[in-house]
Amino acid sequence: MTVPRDLDCLADATELVLRRRPGYSLEAPFYLSEALFKLDMDAIFARHWLHVGVEADVPQPGDFCTLEIGSYSIVIVRGLDGEARAFHNVCRHRGARVISAEKGSATKLVCPYHSWAYDLTGGLAFAEHMAPDIDRDCLGLKRVHLRTVGGLIFVCLAEFPPDDFDEMALTVEPYFGPHDLKNCKLAYQVDIIEDGNWKAVMENNRECYHCSGHPELMRTFFQFFGHSESDVKPRQQRYYERYCRIRGEMSDIWDSLGLPSTLVELLDDRATAFRLERMALDNAGESYTSDTRIACQRLLGDIGQPRLGALSLHTQPNSWNHVVSDHAVISFILPLSAEKTLLRTKWLVHKDAVEGRDYDVDRLTEVWRKTNEQDAGFVALISQGVRSPAYEPGPYSPNENQLEKFLTWYIDRLKSHLGIIQPMVPPPLGEAQEHRLSS
């Protein structure tokens, strides 16, 4: 018998979670079930720190942007004091959506229904025809936790967010600080609606086993991401030797510039999980471009060195970021449904860079635009395949270890949310596939 596409109750979800087999992909309902999607939204996206933008989204006081995270709508606004804040985009009068525009600038946030107005700190500034005994101080917009690190914006929808963000920030800031993303501007943004569950999108990003399908990216990106020396095939030996030589050259450059480069990988045993690494890039090694040289003549920060390789930051549950000497590529996902996911990618350049003089948008964005489109195609193939009754979880390659760490983190988060204390020993794969979930 086949595993049902959807679940009837949380007991079904608990059974699926408990029998997850380490080292193998997930069962089909994890990618297809609307009930499991709702569980993911409650257990993951409503409780953890989410990467949702960059400080360049709201560069000036009064600038705002809005964001949809499942059934939540939030507005991020830059206050007159220069601080970025986030609020639930819900009027405290009768619940109307306060801001409908995706972005803009305002001196106050005004609800279009009855003109209740909120200042840039979220406080209620105007509400006409209300009883005099109403406590207006208690009727400000509801706050959403917001933190920034290295020019990136994170929010948490939970009342009490995970308390390990400060530890991540202390680790990430020295790596990102020299690139000064806080003083960047948004050069371009692309949204892609991928035909797949958010976990399939993240899994695809967490391995380079498939990277031969990214010819543009592979002009710079070494395919030894997640590999060990024992994984190198005889036909790859000269390629691997070039990688080792360039990696040595880049390490010397990073050391001479005082840029931290030690790999930090904390992906499976903390709420705010992340991976941070400086990577060597192939050929000229300057940028993610078709000729591997810089796309923007105005470099980021004050480093002044075009050949820096790439700084990579992955955060769970929803982002990956790449910073090179001349620009940054910032990507994060937001789940839309069990089988639809928004991928938003932003390209940042120095705030004083001038389009048409210092950079050309097509050249700046070509490599990652094509890579994202190719990845969307791979995710769609996964979605098509897991719908088949013939699908069963398959084993991971050793160089897909980051994928396994992501799923270990994910399953542990669900266990915590569901109150599972003692894990069950999973049955053999055949039994798991033949066992129909109880109703």
Side-chain angles (χ1 to χ4, degrees), residues 55-123:
E55 294 203 51
D57 288 328
V58 286
Q60 300 297 325
D63 289 348
F64 67 81
C65 62
T66 57
L67 201 69
E68 308 299 313
I69 306 172
S71 58
Y72 295 92
S73 176
I74 67 171
V75 56
I76 298 171
V77 61
R78 180 79 64 184
L80 296 177
D81 57 359
E83 182 178 347
R85 298 176 176 86
F87 306 99
H88 288 283
N89 192 14
V90 179
C91 184
R92 295 300 307 280
H93 178 212
R94 285 167 55 190
R97 179 69 57 88
V98 178
I99 302 293
S100 297
E102 290 185 5
K103 62 189 337 182
S105 186
T107 56
K108 288 183 174 60
L109 306 179
V110 182
C111 176
Y113 194 10
H114 297 98
S115 300
W116 279 36
Y118 303 88
D119 63 33
L120 301 183
T121 67

Side-chain angles (χ1 to χ4, degrees), residues 248-392:
E249 294 170 357
M250 295 310 306
S251 293
D252 290 342
I253 291 173
W254 299 328
D255 290 345
S256 70
L257 295 170
L259 298 176
S261 60
T262 302
L263 168 65
V264 180
E265 187 170 284
L266 299 168
L267 291 175
D268 56 357
D269 60 355
R270 50 183 282 127
T272 307
F274 67 100
R275 185 180 193 276
L276 187 63
E277 180 183 20
R278 287 197 189 274
M279 302 184 299
L281 296 182
D282 203 357
N283 295 303
E286 294 180 358
S287 196
Y288 287 117
T289 54
S290 57
D291 65 359
T292 75
R293 300 203 176 270
I294 58 172
C296 182
Q297 298 304 309
R298 185 65 186 262
L299 301 183
L300 303 183
D302 298 320
I303 301 173
Q305 163 65 270
R307 190 186 182 213
L308 289 180
L311 172 61
S312 170
L313 172 67
H314 294 173
T315 69
Q316 287 170 193
N318 76 320
S319 83
W320 55 93
N321 308 280
H322 299 279
V323 183
V324 286
S325 65
D326 64 323
H327 71 277
V329 186
I330 308 298
S331 299
F332 61 87
I333 64 166
L334 295 172
L336 301 177
S337 69
E339 297 184 72
K340 296 285 184 183
T341 303
L342 169 67
L343 167 63
R344 177 162 292 168
T345 303
K346 301 170 183 284
W347 284 262
L348 304 182
V349 297
H350 192 284
K351 66 179 181 180
D352 295 330
V354 177
E355 182 181 350
R357 184 190 71 188
D358 295 315
Y359 66 95
D360 173 79
V361 167
D362 287 342
R363 184 165 178 269
L364 179 78
T365 63
E366 176 189 14
V367 169
W368 276 105
R369 274 191 295 109
K370 291 183 177 179
T371 300
N372 288 344
E373 291 164 3
Q374 292 153 1
D375 277 334
F378 295 138
V379 169
L381 292 176
I382 289 289
S383 299
Q384 293 162 10
V386 297
R387 294 190 195 107
S388 169
Y391 166 75
E392 64 180 62

Side-chain angles (χ1 to χ4, degrees), residues 116 130-137 139:
W116 279 36
M130 297 302 293
D133 59 343
I134 294 296
D135 186 355
R136 298 182 180 224
D137 291 339
L139 291 173

Side-chain angles (χ1 to χ4, degrees), residues 149-150 167-179 258-261 276 278 311:
V149 56
E167 182 183 348
M168 183 188 78
L170 286 171
T171 303
V172 170
E173 191 64 50
Y175 285 75
F176 270 68
H179 302 279
L259 298 176
S261 60
L276 187 63
R278 287 197 189 274
L311 172 61

